[in-house]
Amino acid sequence: VGPYVLVTPNKTRRNQLQQIAKKELDDREQWKKQHRPGPIKLVPQRLGGKESEYQARQKQQMMLMQSKYQQKQKREEYVKAKKAAEEAEILKKKAIQREKAERLEKKKRQQEMERREMFFEDQYRKTNELLNRLDFVLPKSDACHIADYGPESTAWSRSHAYKQTLREDETRRLEEMKQEQRRKAELMELKQKQEEEARTRAHQNEQRRVNNAFLDRLQNKTQPNSFYQPGYSASLDYLSNGAWVS
């Protein structure tokens, strides 16, 4: 401990301050006694209304119960609306995925048809090239020349008939393929039309259901005093009329 100086307190000054503080406290207590509010005396009077306090309390309790049921109904409606929105979102996503899958499948079928058509065309072209080479190798002559060269004319006739047969087969095959593609396109268009009609009907049904639910909620809101309680059925229109007597 370092050095310090002890100062002797001034008792006179301290006594003076204590007396001043005591005087101020006494003055404050005296002022509070003088300005204390007196008793309130009111003459009982009729405030108006047609019902007693007991009836008013009963109405208040009924209104409280009604508010609880309304809050519960609002919560249930909110949960139903949220669930319906989630289901609608899921159905929308499923429809989008279905359309993507259908477009992909359609694209694959078109590519397959194009590959088949290219294959048949290439096959037809190579067949024609082969037959043209055969025609170039074999001699071409009139009827007399054919009569003079029996074996060669017979070979040329066979090749010509074979070439004609192949051309007819290729033509018939291409025509059948075109008809098959046309039938598939018609079936696909019919299927897409049916699916579009089904989606339209489903959308209309969903919109009708949402509108009906909205109208039901609107009707319930326009009739706030008509509600159902277990074991009690009455109209609470009288809750908004009258007051209670004190």
Side-chain angles (χ1 to χ4, degrees):
V1 180
Y4 62 94
V5 178
L6 181 62
V7 179
T8 304
N10 191 350
K11 294 183 178 180
T12 305
R13 180 62 179 170
R14 185 175 62 182
N15 293 334
Q16 290 178 357
L17 293 176
Q18 290 179 352
Q19 291 177 2
I20 293 171
K22 183 178 180 182
K23 183 176 184 302
E24 289 178 354
L25 290 174
D26 294 339
D27 292 342
R28 183 174 178 275
E29 293 294 332
Q30 187 68 25
W31 183 88
K32 288 173 64 176
K33 290 180 181 179
Q34 291 178 359
H35 294 82
R36 181 179 298 173
I40 299 175
K41 296 181 181 180
L42 296 176
V43 179
Q45 57 182 353
R46 188 177 183 86
L47 299 177
K50 300 178 181 180
E51 298 177 352
S52 63
E53 182 180 0
Y54 176 74
Q55 293 176 347
R57 294 295 183 186
Q58 282 186 339
K59 289 181 181 180
Q60 187 178 8
Q61 186 177 4
M62 294 294 292
M63 291 177 67
L64 181 61
M65 293 174 64
Q66 181 185 7
S67 65
K68 289 182 179 179
Y69 281 109
Q70 289 178 353
Q71 291 177 0
K72 182 179 179 181
Q73 185 179 5
K74 287 181 180 179
R75 287 194 298 269
E76 292 177 353
E77 290 179 356
Y78 173 75
V79 172
K80 290 180 180 178
K82 185 177 179 181
K83 186 176 180 181
E86 291 177 354
E87 291 178 355
E89 187 68 21
I90 292 173
L91 291 176
K92 184 178 178 180
K93 291 181 179 179
K94 287 183 178 179
I96 293 172
Q97 295 296 329
R98 191 181 301 109
E99 291 178 358
K100 289 182 179 179
E102 290 176 357
R103 286 198 297 268
L104 183 61
E105 185 67 23
K106 182 179 178 181
K107 185 177 179 181
K108 288 182 179 179
R109 285 196 296 266
Q110 290 179 353
Q111 291 177 353
E112 183 65 24
M113 290 179 183
E114 290 176 358
R115 284 195 295 268
R116 291 180 62 185
E117 187 175 357
M118 290 175 63
F119 171 75
F120 286 127
E121 289 179 355
D122 185 68
Q123 186 179 9
Y124 181 73
R125 182 177 55 80
K126 290 182 178 179
T127 304
N128 287 332
E129 291 178 356
L130 176 62
L131 294 176
N132 290 330
R133 287 196 299 270
L134 290 174
D135 290 340
F136 180 77
V137 172
L138 293 175
K140 296 182 179 179
S141 60
D142 52 5
C144 296
H145 196 199
I146 293 174
D148 295 337
Y149 299 94
E152 293 180 358
S153 62
T154 304
W156 180 83
S157 300
R158 291 178 180 177
S159 66
H160 183 73
Y162 178 70
K163 179 180 178 180
Q164 188 68 24
T165 304
L166 288 179
R167 287 178 179 175
E168 291 177 357
D169 291 340
E170 293 294 332
T171 304
R172 188 182 68 257
R173 193 178 304 167
L174 288 174
E175 187 65 25
E176 290 177 355
M177 186 179 67
K178 290 181 180 179
Q179 292 179 1
E180 183 180 0
Q181 291 179 357
R182 193 180 300 109
R183 286 195 301 270
K184 288 182 179 180
E186 292 176 356
L187 291 174
M188 188 181 301
E189 184 178 359
L190 179 61
K191 183 179 178 182
Q192 290 178 355
K193 185 177 180 181
Q194 292 176 355
E195 290 177 354
E196 184 66 25
E197 291 178 355
R199 284 195 295 269
T200 303
R201 286 195 299 270
H203 179 70
Q204 291 177 356
N205 293 331
E206 181 66 18
Q207 189 175 7
R208 190 180 298 109
R209 186 185 65 80
V210 173
N211 291 336
N212 291 333
F214 174 74
L215 293 175
D216 292 340
R217 291 195 299 270
L218 185 62
Q219 185 177 4
N220 292 331
K221 289 181 180 180
T222 55
Q223 298 177 359
N225 292 330
S226 60
F227 69 99
Y228 172 77
Q229 294 182 1
Y232 178 80
S233 62
S235 177
L236 296 178
D237 294 338
Y238 65 91
L239 294 177
S240 60
N241 299 325
W244 55 279
V245 180
S246 62

